[in-house]
Amino acid sequence: MEPSGSDRGGHGVIVRPVGREDAETAGRVVVAAFEAVPGAHMNGGYAAELADVAGRAKVSEVLVAVDGRDLVGCVTLVPDHRSPLAEQVEEGECQIRMMAVAPSYQGRGVGQLLLDASLQRARALGRRAVLLHSTPAMTAAHRLYQRNGFVRVPERDWLPEPDLLLIAFRLDLAASGARNAGSAW
Ligand SMILES: CC(C)(COP(=O)(O)OP(=O)(O)OC[C@H]1O[C@@H](n2cnc3c(N)ncnc32)[C@H](O)[C@@H]1OP(=O)(O)O)[C@@H](O)C(=O)NCCC(=O)NCCS
């Protein structure tokens, strides 16, 4: 797989598959980003789950954003509805989970790079749609998703715990434009 990258914001950030050597750092970045968002999503040991990048990499595609030696972002692409990481995924869909950019790197286009790479992989896998869930407080993520054509699908919202509402967004890859087509990897 060829890494993809950008110089937006003056940074030469590239996105590539996570390596065994950077799984721990990636886990720390994900935990830090999620801890910075208010809400009940960190209850019930979720930090340990977020930190387990090595575990996720065994059953899904984990991509990291890297700026030189600094690992600055991470995303998990759940390949299909049969995956042990799939949550409310239907046949033909894949799922983006645990997308995170280090708080000090947010607002520079790294999230966009991670999303572009995820959508390229989703297309390469031949999926017809991408599903994801988010908490109501993750408003920067909602803007990113909606800018990229995701739409709210309230009928697929779910309540994994009584005080934790997860709201659903979905991108129909067949209907969306050519922006993310033409993947090199
Ligand atoms: C959601 C998240 C991954 C987005 O990452 P990010 O790197 O900040 O995303 P981007 O930089 O691509 O976009 C964020 C904003 O920066 C702006 N931006 C991007 N590049 C920019 C640049 N070079 N100069 C100025 N602004 C820029 C974008 O237009 C966008 O603006 P908006 O806030 O008006 O929507 C990040 O906010 C995060 O980790 N949040 C906490 C965890 C989370 O909510 N995860 C989602 C789980 S569903």
Side-chain angles (χ1 to χ4, degrees):
M1 165 185 146
E2 292 298 316
S4 59
S6 162
D7 284 324
R8 276 178 78 184
H11 293 274
V13 176
I14 63 154
V15 176
R16 59 161 171 78
V18 70
R20 212 174 299 166
E21 67 290 351
D22 44 30
E24 206 177 312
T25 309
R28 277 198 295 272
V29 166
V30 179
V31 171
F34 274 69
E35 276 180 342
V37 179
H41 59 283
M42 297 305 287
N43 296 350
Y46 194 46
E49 196 179 327
L50 289 171
D52 184 18
V53 169
R56 291 203 283 289
K58 289 181 191 154
V59 292
S60 66
E61 299 191 23
V62 180
L63 305 175
V64 289
V66 182
D67 184 6
R69 301 174 71 129
D70 296 330
L71 193 153
V72 299
C74 184
V75 65
T76 296
L77 186 73
V78 179
D80 61 31
H81 66 295
R82 290 195 195 88
S83 166
L85 290 173
E87 289 183 335
Q88 315 282 311
V89 179
E90 293 178 359
E91 196 168 350
E93 295 177 338
C94 61
Q95 186 170 38
I96 288 175
R97 290 197 57 194
M98 303 175 187
M99 161 134 35
V101 171
S104 62
Y105 258 81
Q106 291 176 8
R108 306 188 201 180
V110 177
Q112 183 67 57
L113 287 179
L114 287 169
L115 185 58
D116 287 346
S118 303
L119 298 183
Q120 286 180 358
R121 287 302 303 146
R123 288 182 191 281
L125 290 170
R127 300 292 171 262
R128 63 181 159 83
V130 183
L131 182 76
L132 61 85
H133 288 95
S134 175
T135 72
M138 293 174 171
T139 50
H142 304 165
R143 289 193 299 274
L144 175 65
Y145 301 142
Q146 287 174 319
R147 263 201 303 279
N148 284 272
F150 281 79
V151 294
R152 278 279 290 120
V153 278
E155 66 277 16
R156 298 187 65 182
D157 291 357
W158 68 303
L159 209 59
E161 290 160 31
D163 62 346
L164 183 60
L165 171 65
L166 295 182
I167 64 174
F169 292 83
R170 187 175 186 276
L171 177 69
D172 183 333
L173 289 171
S176 69
R179 176 185 156 82
N180 291 294
S183 166
W185 43 269

